[in-house]
Amino acid sequence: MTEILRNWIFGIVGAAFIAAITQAITPDGKAKRVVSVVCGFVMLTAIIRPIKTFDYGGFRQSLARLSGEAADISAPLDEVNENITRGIIEERYAAYILDKGNAHGIDAMSVVVETAVSDDESYLYPSAVTITANVTDAQKSALAYDIESGLGVPSGEIVWTD
Amino acid sequence: MKQLVILLAILVLLPAPFALADDVFDEQAGAAGVRGVEDALPPEAGEILGDMKVTDALDAQGAISRLVEGIGAKLRGIVVSALKNAAIIVMAAMLSGIFAAAFPEKSGNYARLAGVLAISTVSVASVNTFIGMGAAVLDDLSVFSKMLLPCLTAAAAASGAITSAAAKYAATMLFMDIMMSVMKAVIMPLIYAFAAASIAEATVGGDALAGVTSLIKWLAKTALSIIVVVFIVYISLTGVIAGASDAAALRAAKVAISTALPVVGTILADAAGTVLSGAAMLKGAVGVFGVLVVAATCVIPVLKLGVNYLLFKVAAGLSGAVADKSVTKLLDGFASAFGLALGMTGVAAIMLFVSIVSMIKTVVV
C-alpha cells in the first residue's frame, strides 16, 4: 500500500514536471492550447491510475485476517464472562431453591445446581440439582414440584442426600 | 435519548450489589488485558497524566482536570520558546529588508540572500526537530494503539457488539498500519522536500519554483486528507452495517431466553445484564482512558507545532512591510511546513479518536 501511494505521488510529481516543461517550451498560440489540454489529460491519468491498479483482493484479505484476529483477542474475556455468567446463574438457581425450601419448612439445606447449554447455545439452563437436607417425603415432593415448575428440572434429575 | 434509556434499563436490571459489580469488572479487566494497556502508556502521556489507571478514567472529570493541569504547566514554556525563535527570524527578515532598501544596487541581492540564509539556518533546525517529534508521536501512538485496540475490541465484543467490534478493529489496525507507513515513507519526505523547495524558491527568487512548492504542499495535504476521510467513511459504514447484525443477534438471543420458563428467564436476564453492564463499564473506562492518553500524547507536540505555525505566520505578516517578498514567502513556507507536520500528527490522533469513540458508542439494544 505504501509502495502504491509512493509511486502514485512520484508519478504525479513526474507528470507535473513534464507538463510544466512542455508548456514552458511550447510557443504561445494554438499549439500551446493543445499542449495544455494534453498535459491536463496526462495529469488526470497520473492522478486516477492507482484506482485501477489498487490491490482490492489483498486489502480484503488483510481485513479478513484482522477480523479473525479480533475473535482470538476476545476469547479470554469470553471465557471469563462465561464463567462469571455460569457462577451467577447457578448461585441464583440455588438461591431460588433455598427460598422455596424455606417456604416448605426446610431450614438446613445446601443446594448445588448444575447447568447445561441450550441446543442453540444461547443460554444456560439448570440440568440437575443436588440437595443435601433432612426432609420428609411431603417436603421432598413439594420442593421437587416447585423445582420442576419453576426451573424446569425434572424430578428424576434431583438428587437427594442426607 | 435512546442511549440514556438503555443506560437506565441496564442500571435498573442490575440487582447485584456493587461488590459483585466490582468483582465482575476486575475479572473482566484482567482477562481483557487492561494491565498491558496501562503499561503501554507513552512517556509524554505519563508526564501529564502521572500513573493514571484505567479505573481512574471512570472519574472522567478528574482525569480531564489532570490533562488540563498538565497542559497549563507546559504551555508557558512552549510559547516563550516559540516567541524567541520568531523574534530572531523577524529581526533577520527586517535587517535584510533594511539593508536591501538602503543599498539596492550594490548589495540588495546579497542582503536578501543573507536574510534567506539566516532564516533558513534557524528554521530548518526547528522543522527537523518538530518533524522528528511528530514521528516520535506517531511511533508512540502506534505502540499504544496495538495494546489499546485489542483490549477495547474484547470489551466491546463482550458488551454485545461482536461483529461491529471485530470489523472496526480490523479497519482501524489496517488503516493505522497504512497511515504510519505512509507518514514515514511519503508525508515526512514531502514535508522536507517542501521546506527545501521553499528555501530554493527564496534563494533563486522569482516564481520559477512556486509551482513546485505548491504542488508538493498540495500532494502532502491531499494524501493526509484522503487517508482520514476514507478511514472515517469506512468506520462509519462498518458501524452501521455490522451494528445491525449485532442488534439482530441480540434480539434472537432475547427471544431464545424469553421462551424459557419465567423464573429461568428472569435469572438468565439478570446474569446477562450483570455481565453485559460490567463489559460496558470496562469498555467505557478503557475507551476514556485511551482518549485521554492519546490527547496527552499529542497535546504538547500539537501545541508546539501550532504555536510555531502561528508565530511564523505572524512573522511573515510583520516582515512583509520591510523585507523582500521572497523572504516573506520563505517564512510563510516554513509556517506551512509546521502546518503539514501538525496535520500529520493531527491525522494520527483523529483516526485513533474516531476509532475509540466508535467502539465506545457500540450500544446494542
Side-chain angles (χ1 to χ4, degrees):
Chain A
M1 182 65 142
T2 312
E3 210 48 49
I4 291 170
L5 203 56
R6 196 210 287 255
N7 290 340
W8 176 60
I9 284 177
F10 288 159
I12 292 175
V13 171
F17 268 118
I18 291 170
I21 292 166
T22 311
Q23 286 185 297
I25 61 175
T26 306
D28 288 336
K30 232 185 227 178
K32 189 151 193 166
R33 282 201 295 273
V34 171
V35 164
S36 296
V37 169
V38 170
C39 289
F41 275 119
V42 167
M43 284 297 300
L44 195 62
T45 309
I47 288 168
I48 64 174
R49 195 165 50 92
I51 297 172
K52 246 183 82 175
T53 59
F54 186 71
D55 181 13
Y56 294 101
F59 187 76
R60 269 197 303 271
Q61 270 176 10
S62 298
L63 279 176
R65 178 182 52 82
L66 286 164
S67 293
E69 216 174 273
D72 295 336
I73 287 163
S74 300
L77 184 54
D78 287 343
E79 206 180 306
V80 162
N81 281 342
E82 207 177 293
N83 291 338
I84 292 171
T85 308
R86 189 183 288 270
I88 294 172
I89 288 171
E90 287 172 356
E91 200 182 295
R92 298 277 169 89
Y93 288 149
Y96 173 81
I97 294 169
L98 282 170
D99 193 47
K100 289 296 177 189
N102 283 339
H104 293 303
I106 308 169
D107 294 323
M109 66 186 266
S110 71
V111 177
V112 174
V113 177
E114 286 167 34
T115 49
V117 181
S118 62
D119 290 338
D120 58 2
E121 296 183 3
S122 62
Y123 63 89
L124 291 166
Y125 67 93
S127 58
V129 176
T130 304
I131 299 176
T132 305
N134 219 345
V135 294
T136 63
D137 286 343
Q139 285 172 327
K140 202 185 274 190
S141 174
L143 186 55
Y145 175 80
D146 285 339
I147 293 171
E148 189 163 359
S149 61
L151 300 181
V153 179
S155 45
E157 297 298 331
I158 303 173
V159 175
W160 298 91
T161 62
D162 289 332
Chain B
M1 185 61 193
K2 198 174 171 185
Q3 285 160 344
L4 179 62
V5 169
I6 293 163
L7 184 59
L8 284 171
I10 289 171
L11 288 171
V12 162
L13 282 173
L14 250 185
F18 254 113
L20 175 60
D22 281 350
D23 289 342
V24 168
F25 182 86
D26 290 340
E27 268 193 78
Q28 288 174 324
V34 161
R35 176 61 66 85
V37 176
E38 290 167 350
D39 290 343
L41 195 71
E44 297 88 356
E47 276 177 29
I48 293 176
L49 299 173
D51 60 347
M52 186 174 160
K53 303 289 175 205
V54 165
T55 42
D56 295 333
L58 290 169
D59 170 26
Q61 214 164 3
I64 290 169
S65 305
R66 268 205 238 192
L67 184 65
V68 170
E69 277 164 22
I71 294 168
K74 298 214 179 228
L75 187 59
R76 190 166 177 274
I78 293 169
V79 173
V80 165
S81 167
L83 275 171
K84 280 183 193 166
N85 257 359
I88 294 169
I89 284 161
V90 169
M91 270 174 50
M94 285 187 165
L95 277 171
S96 88
I98 289 166
F99 269 111
F103 309 102
E105 285 120 19
K106 283 192 182 162
S107 25
N109 205 34
Y110 294 122
R112 184 182 64 79
L113 285 172
V116 167
L117 183 63
I119 291 167
S120 303
T121 307
V122 173
S123 306
V124 162
S126 296
V127 168
N128 198 33
T129 303
F130 288 132
I131 291 175
M133 185 179 63
V137 166
L138 292 178
D139 284 335
D140 286 341
L141 289 180
S142 175
V143 167
F144 180 67
S145 68
K146 286 183 165 62
M147 297 306 295
L148 174 74
L149 289 171
C151 180
L152 197 52
T153 302
S159 67
I162 299 166
T163 312
S164 56
K168 286 174 185 174
Y169 169 80
T172 306
M173 291 300 275
L174 187 58
F175 275 90
M176 286 294 289
D177 201 35
I178 291 169
M179 184 200 66
M180 292 301 168
S181 308
V182 166
M183 296 293 191
K184 291 195 170 163
V186 178
I187 305 295
M188 278 169 55
L190 277 177
I191 298 175
Y192 282 122
F194 174 75
S198 298
I199 295 170
E201 190 188 343
T203 308
V204 165
D207 291 326
L209 290 171
V212 174
T213 50
S214 300
L215 176 66
I216 296 173
K217 189 172 154 185
W218 176 84
L219 282 171
K221 277 169 66 173
T222 305
L224 286 171
S225 305
I226 287 172
I227 291 170
V228 78
V229 165
V230 168
F231 173 72
I232 290 174
V233 166
Y234 188 88
I235 282 280
S236 305
L237 285 174
T238 301
V240 167
I241 295 166
S245 163
D246 286 330
L250 197 60
R251 268 199 298 277
K254 281 183 180 171
V255 165
I257 289 173
S258 69
T259 59
L261 294 165
V263 174
V264 171
T266 306
I267 290 172
L268 290 174
D270 283 354
T274 303
V275 169
L276 282 178
S277 63
M281 198 161 76
L282 177 66
K283 178 184 70 174
V286 172
V288 170
F289 181 79
V291 165
L292 289 168
V293 168
V294 170
T297 306
C298 295
V299 72
I300 300 301
V302 162
L303 276 176
K304 282 183 180 171
L305 286 164
V307 166
N308 275 278
Y309 168 79
L310 283 171
L311 288 176
F312 267 73
K313 281 286 189 189
V314 167
L318 287 174
S319 64
V322 182
D324 187 74
K325 199 175 87 169
S326 59
V327 169
T328 309
K329 260 190 112 176
L330 177 63
L331 286 171
D332 209 49
F334 279 121
S336 297
F338 287 126
L340 288 172
L342 177 63
M344 187 177 79
T345 314
V347 159
I350 286 170
M351 283 175 67
L352 265 180
F353 281 142
V354 165
S355 60
I356 293 169
V357 169
S358 172
M359 290 275 207
I360 297 174
K361 270 181 65 177
T362 48
V363 176
V364 186
V365 181

